[in-house]
Amino acid sequence: MAFLIDQFHGFRNWFWNPRFWLPGNVTWDDIRSTEEVRYVEFSDLLHTIPLAVLILFIRYLFERFLAAPVGRLYELKDVKPRPAPPHAVLELGYKECVNPDHRSIVSLAKQTDLTERHVERWFRQRRNQDRPSGLKKFTESSWRCFYYLSAFLYGVIIMWDKPWFWDTTYCWVDFPFQPLQREVYWYYMIEMAFYLSLTFSQFLDVKRKVGRYNSITIVKLIYS
C-alpha cells in the first residue's frame, strides 16, 4: 500500500509540474486562495457532485409537474407497446444484435423450432419494447431545452461586461494571477454539474450516441 501511495504522489507531482502549467518563477503556492483573493482550487470540483444530485431533483420536478402536463395537453401518451413474450434464446440473440440479418434469423429459428416469421415478429416487438414513449421523449427534450436556454442566457448576462468576453487577449493579462469571480465560478460549477447529472441519468434516459461526449465535455471543463 505504501508503494502505491508513493507512486500516486509521484504521478501527481509529475502531472502538476508548475514548469508545465505556470510561467517561470511562479508556483502553485503563489496562487492559493486567501481571505482577500479567491483563486481556482482543484478541490472545487468536489462541489459539483452534490450540485449534480440537486440538478437531478430539479429535473424530476420539472419533467413531472411542468413538462408532462404540457405533453398530455398535446395528447402525447405514456403508453408502452405490448412486450415481447419471454424467450431466453431469443433474448440472448437480441443482446448480441438488435437487428439480426437473415442468416442470424435462420439460425435462431433452427435453435428455437420457430418459423423465421415468428422470430422476425419477436425481434420487432422486442425493439418496440425498448423504444421510449412520446411523452418521455418530450419531457426529456423539454428539460434539455430549458437548461441550455437558461445556461446560455445566464452566461451572456454575467459575461457581457467582461473585457475578455470581447477581446480574448485579456485572458492572458496578469496570468496566472487572475482572481476567480463568484458569478463565473457558479457558471462553471452548474455547467459541470449538469453534464455530471447526464452521466448519472444516461442509463435511464432515451438512448443517444452522445454518452462519451458528456465525458469529454466534463474533462474540457475541468482543465479550462
Side-chain angles (χ1 to χ4, degrees), residues 16-85:
W16 292 113
N17 192 328
R19 291 190 300 175
F20 176 78
W21 295 99
L22 301 174
N25 300 323
V26 179
T27 65
W28 294 112
D29 293 332
D30 297 327
I31 53 174
R32 293 192 182 280
S33 299
T34 63
E35 295 182 358
E36 295 79 16
V37 182
R38 178 77 161 84
Y39 289 111
V40 176
E41 299 283 352
F42 200 75
S43 58
D44 292 337
L45 299 177
L46 296 176
H47 302 163
T48 61
I49 298 177
L51 192 57
V53 176
L54 176 61
I55 289 178
L56 286 173
F57 179 69
I58 295 174
R59 171 184 174 176
Y60 170 78
L61 297 178
F62 176 89
E63 291 185 355
R64 179 167 184 176
F65 297 106
L66 184 60
V70 173
R72 295 190 185 96
L73 185 65
Y74 286 94
E75 300 182 352
L76 294 176
K77 305 294 184 181
D78 190 18
V79 179
K80 295 183 178 181
R82 185 176 62 180

Side-chain angles (χ1 to χ4, degrees), residues 23 52 70 78 113 120 128 168 171 179 191 194 212:
V70 173
D78 190 18
D113 293 330
E120 291 176 347
N128 291 335
T168 56
C171 294
E191 280 287 305
F194 172 76
R212 63 181 181 274

Side-chain angles (χ1 to χ4, degrees), residues 120 204 207:
E120 291 176 347
L204 302 176
K207 296 295 183 294

Side-chain angles (χ1 to χ4, degrees), residues 7-175:
Q7 291 296 315
F8 171 77
H9 286 302
F11 173 79
R12 186 183 63 178
N13 294 333
W14 169 82
F15 185 82
W16 292 113
N17 192 328
R19 291 190 300 175
F20 176 78
W21 295 99
L22 301 174
N25 300 323
V26 179
T27 65
W28 294 112
D29 293 332
D30 297 327
I31 53 174
R32 293 192 182 280
S33 299
T34 63
E35 295 182 358
E36 295 79 16
V37 182
R38 178 77 161 84
Y39 289 111
V40 176
E41 299 283 352
F42 200 75
S43 58
D44 292 337
L45 299 177
L46 296 176
H47 302 163
T48 61
I49 298 177
L51 192 57
V53 176
L54 176 61
I55 289 178
L56 286 173
F57 179 69
I58 295 174
R59 171 184 174 176
Y60 170 78
L61 297 178
F62 176 89
E63 291 185 355
R64 179 167 184 176
F65 297 106
L66 184 60
V70 173
R72 295 190 185 96
L73 185 65
Y74 286 94
E75 300 182 352
L76 294 176
K77 305 294 184 181
D78 190 18
V79 179
K80 295 183 178 181
R82 185 176 62 180
H87 198 294
V89 176
L90 295 181
E91 186 67 32
L92 183 61
Y94 181 82
K95 291 180 179 179
E96 294 179 355
C97 181
V98 177
N99 291 289
D101 55 19
H102 181 69
R103 181 181 300 178
S104 299
I105 291 177
V106 172
S107 176
L108 289 171
K110 292 180 179 179
Q111 295 179 46
T112 58
D113 293 330
L114 300 173
T115 64
E116 295 178 19
R117 184 176 295 275
H118 194 144
V119 174
E120 291 176 347
R121 186 184 305 115
W122 188 92
F123 270 85
R124 184 168 57 252
Q125 289 180 331
R126 188 63 180 82
R127 287 193 297 269
N128 291 335
Q129 180 180 332
D130 284 346
R131 287 175 180 155
S133 65
L135 184 62
K136 179 173 176 56
K137 291 192 288 186
F138 175 79
T139 55
E140 184 176 319
S141 298
S142 298
W143 163 251
R144 291 174 182 253
C145 178
F146 170 77
Y147 170 79
Y148 288 131
L149 180 61
S150 301
F152 171 77
L153 293 177
Y154 176 68
V156 170
I157 291 173
I158 67 171
M159 297 181 189
W160 190 265
D161 60 343
K162 305 297 188 294
W164 39 262
F165 183 71
W166 305 100
D167 186 357
T168 56
T169 58
Y170 281 94
C171 294
W172 303 104
V173 175
D174 295 331
F175 178 82

